[in-house]
Amino acid sequence: MGCFVARSHDAIGILARHRTLLVVVCLTSLVTLWLCRLPKIKIYSPPFEIDVTGAPAAAEKHLDLSRADAPFISWPLARVCNEARWSPGIVFVCDNNSGGVGNIRNYILTCLRYAIEAGATGLVMPQIRTRAPDNLSSIMQAHQPFAYFFDEDHFRQSLGAACPQISIYQSTDHIPNAVNPFKVERITPRDFGPRGGCDNRGLNQHSDGFGRKFRAHVEEHAAEFNIPTPSPAHPRAYRLTWGVQFDWQTYRDGPEFATSYGGLLRFRADILKLGMQTAAYMREFAARQAGHTESQTFVGMHLRTESDALSNWPRFENQTRAYLERASSMDFKAAYLATGNSTEAAKLASAASSQHGLAVVTKDELLKDHPRELKALKALTWDQQALIDFVVLLEGDYFLGVNPSSFSMNVALKRHLKMDGLHTRPWKTGGDGDGRSWLVGSYEHYWKDWLFMYDSMWP
Ligand SMILES: *[C@@H]1O[C@H](CO)[C@@H](O)[C@H](O)[C@H]1NC(C)=O
Ligand SMILES: *[C@@H]1O[C@H](CO)[C@@H](O)[C@H](O)[C@H]1NC(C)=O
Ligand SMILES: *[C@@H]1O[C@H](CO)[C@@H](O)[C@H](O)[C@H]1NC(C)=O
Ligand SMILES: *[C@@H]1O[C@H](CO)[C@@H](O)[C@H](O)[C@H]1NC(C)=O
């Protein structure tokens, strides 16, 4: 209740400040007019030269960052690292994650973003926590190496080139001069600095203050426990608490960073290849549906009704009805269906074909006549197989998913990058999509409907 009262006071305050605002607007306009007289203004010194009077460089604007194999654009990350304040001897460990690829990706990226702000000069190669094969809700199983999902060489090279200040250690055993037995302190970044707001799922509104507050904490801790302040000779390791994956406001670092940073986590080469091959088979399938015409267009759908889906999410009926209506209104004849549940897949496919003349296939069906690739698919775990879906859904001509699945959101946000490349602005929630994707679901409450995830997910 207190919050609502405070908010309405805020509203009254805003009205009272109306006059001040007018003055500010006038002054700003004058300054803008004055600035416009100048022929050309460059901000930042090289190599980050940006022409603020011109349009975004054409090459960057048309860079298609929506593909799973998009190049990694390193200068926005290099800029953040150049501006960071480094604290030699601080090492971050980014393994207290869980869930599907949407959650794992964002946990690792969030953890690394905090590590940079903390000035960590060491990062232990992130690991990935797995889920039980016979119980999809059981997501706190043993760790697998980074390469369970991602391309390790790509990560090392990309991070190394952008942030040479950070050394990557293969495991906690490889941190030079670490105390024996190894010790790691657990931290929750948003605890550093006072927070306002009513909902404890709130994003960190104070990430600018994190580095300063964190370093003060490290010093105090050293004094309190009479241990040396961190240095290469006395490194100290930090691990984030579980669940810190939707925490950092991504656009805080500017659109160039928000749209490129996620490129650090490229899928493992063999998974990427199998995904691209599956997408190629999907195009062939679509061409056959269209009667061997030129058209190979297809719509991708993510049906999220597996046994671990939460009870208040849109159900099978809601998702299916919405997807099929939209796909047929757009005249699609072929659909790729991503789901981890073959029973439900068959149900959707049968409704699609009988009611809408829409042919629906899954990855298993597409690879059925390709034994080598089918075998490679079967060798993957449930969560790894979802990466194949991820790649194909990025390749499709339209995407239908469900809010608030982090997998659906991640696909939609990455597809959104095709719009303006590095200059893509945030996805607008709750509307009709961006012309490339649409997510069914409820968009009434910022917290309850998990809309905060759109503000804290790197595509
Ligand atoms: C599956 O895992 C969840 C989370 O660990 C647990 O609560 C549930 O009891 C498990 N279900 C079965 C059938 O073991
Ligand atoms: C991960 O975080 C949770 C709290 O969110 C904590 O209980 C757990 O011990 C952490 N795991 C490790 C290995 O530190
Ligand atoms: C698949 O869906 C059926 C309901 O159609 C359900 O009974 C089953 O538990 C689901 N399996 C998985 C793996 O989610
Ligand atoms: C599912 O569809 C029903 C009927 O249209 C609707 O009342 C309900 O709110 C929907 N549920 C969700 C979670 O979208």
Side-chain angles (χ1 to χ4, degrees):
M1 276 315 275
C3 288
F4 293 107
V5 174
R7 293 245 164 91
S8 52
H9 281 312
D10 277 355
I12 294 165
I14 285 166
L15 286 178
R17 286 196 298 271
H18 202 90
R19 206 177 277 275
T20 325
L21 188 68
L22 268 178
V23 174
V24 171
V25 168
C26 287
L27 282 176
T28 312
S29 311
L30 283 174
V31 170
T32 311
L33 282 175
W34 176 77
L35 286 177
C36 288
R37 290 170 36 240
L38 298 173
K40 223 173 209 182
I41 302 152
K42 304 269 181 167
I43 52 172
Y44 302 112
S45 49
F48 310 121
E49 200 168 88
I50 295 172
D51 177 358
V52 291
T53 58
E60 287 188 352
K61 185 165 164 131
H62 297 296
L63 193 67
D64 185 357
L65 294 177
S66 74
R67 299 183 51 149
D69 59 356
F72 175 64
I73 307 299
S74 64
W75 68 261
L77 176 58
R79 183 171 66 184
V80 163
C81 280
N82 279 335
E83 291 167 353
R85 211 189 116 187
W86 299 99
S87 296
I90 290 185
V91 178
F92 264 52
V93 183
C94 298
D95 60 1
N96 203 354
N97 48 42
S98 72
V101 62
N103 291 328
I104 299 280
R105 268 185 97 251
N106 226 64
Y107 182 94
I108 294 174
L109 293 169
T110 303
C111 183
L112 174 59
R113 184 63 192 86
Y114 273 121
I116 296 168
E117 210 59 24
T121 54
L123 175 77
V124 175
M125 198 64 207
Q127 292 195 316
I128 296 169
R129 203 181 257 138
T130 54
R131 112 169 58 213
D134 53 353
N135 178 357
L136 299 182
S137 306
S138 180
I139 53 176
M140 305 297 270
Q141 303 297 311
H143 283 96
Q144 283 281 344
F146 184 83
Y148 182 59
F149 282 175
F150 306 115
D151 184 332
E152 185 171 329
D153 286 343
H154 171 79
F155 181 78
R156 284 177 176 280
Q157 279 162 23
S158 307
L159 182 61
C163 306
Q165 303 90 343
I166 301 177
S167 303
I168 302 176
Y169 305 121
Q170 193 57 38
S171 77
T172 52
D173 296 339
H174 292 75
I175 304 171
N177 307 322
V179 287
N180 190 4
F182 178 71
K183 273 207 202 73
V184 56
E185 190 185 332
R186 215 163 50 228
I187 57 161
T188 304
R190 61 172 75 168
D191 291 348
F192 292 85
R195 288 167 43 74
C198 309
D199 194 300
N200 63 14
R201 288 169 292 191
L203 306 186
N204 189 343
Q205 309 286 331
H206 207 13
S207 49
D208 289 351
F210 171 73
R212 192 166 29 88
K213 296 241 164 62
F214 172 78
R215 284 186 288 269
H217 161 83
V218 171
E219 305 254 321
E220 278 163 27
H221 204 250
E224 187 181 341
F225 295 97
N226 197 22
I227 46 178
T229 48
S231 68
H234 298 283
R236 291 255 294 281
Y238 295 87
R239 176 185 269 136
L240 304 192
T241 43
W242 176 81
V244 184
Q245 71 260 44
F246 296 108
D247 208 55
W248 185 283
Q249 304 179 76
T250 55
Y251 277 85
R252 186 91 202 132
D253 293 310
E256 324 76 38
F257 186 94
T259 52
S260 60
Y261 179 53
L264 273 180
L265 300 183
R266 180 180 290 170
F267 294 150
R268 200 173 81 189
D270 61 325
I271 291 179
L272 196 53
K273 187 162 160 238
L274 184 57
M276 289 297 188
Q277 187 59 58
T278 309
Y281 292 142
M282 184 62 213
R283 294 254 174 236
E284 289 171 12
F285 174 84
R288 285 198 298 279
Q289 297 312 309
H292 292 280
T293 64
E294 297 291 286
S295 169
Q296 302 188 339
T297 57
F298 73 92
V299 56
M301 300 172 175
H302 175 219
L303 181 64
R304 184 65 177 93
T305 59
E306 292 94 345
S307 53
D308 63 320
L310 301 186
S311 59
N312 56 344
W313 292 11
R315 300 311 187 91
F316 176 85
E317 287 72 26
N318 297 53
Q319 291 179 48
T320 302
R321 187 167 8 91
Y323 294 173
L324 295 185
E325 274 169 13
R326 200 161 263 242
S328 59
S329 78
M330 296 177 79
D331 268 341
F332 280 109
K333 298 281 174 274
Y336 177 86
L337 178 60
T339 173
N341 189 323
S342 51
T343 324
E344 306 259 272
K347 240 162 72 182
L348 183 144
S350 127
S353 129
S354 64
Q355 296 163 22
H356 300 279
L358 177 69
V360 177
V361 276
T362 62
K363 53 188 172 306
D364 297 77
E365 289 156 354
L366 284 172
L367 298 181
K368 190 166 84 245
D369 301 325
H370 306 276
R372 203 165 37 88
E373 281 130 354
L374 186 65
K375 191 164 160 236
L377 177 71
K378 296 291 182 202
L380 300 174
T381 64
W382 193 81
D383 282 300
Q384 287 175 316
Q385 290 193 14
L387 307 184
I388 306 296
D389 285 334
F390 200 109
V391 174
V392 181
L393 294 174
L394 291 180
E395 292 293 304
D397 299 284
Y398 198 79
F399 171 59
L400 292 161
V402 58
N403 185 71
S405 152
S406 59
F407 182 90
S408 278
M409 273 183 210
N410 208 333
V411 170
L413 293 188
K414 191 144 178 85
R415 289 175 59 82
H416 185 59
L417 299 183
K418 198 180 179 86
M419 314 301 284
D420 283 310
L422 275 184
H423 302 276
T424 302
R425 287 163 299 145
W427 161 275
K428 286 196 184 357
T429 54
D432 214 26
D434 59 357
R436 303 214 355 107
S437 312
W438 180 68
L439 306 181
V440 65
S442 171
Y443 293 91
E444 294 309 310
H445 304 280
Y446 187 72
W447 303 118
K448 201 155 71 70
D449 296 327
W450 300 14
L451 306 185
F452 60 91
M453 285 163 62
Y454 294 91
D455 292 333
S456 51
M457 179 184 278
W458 285 281

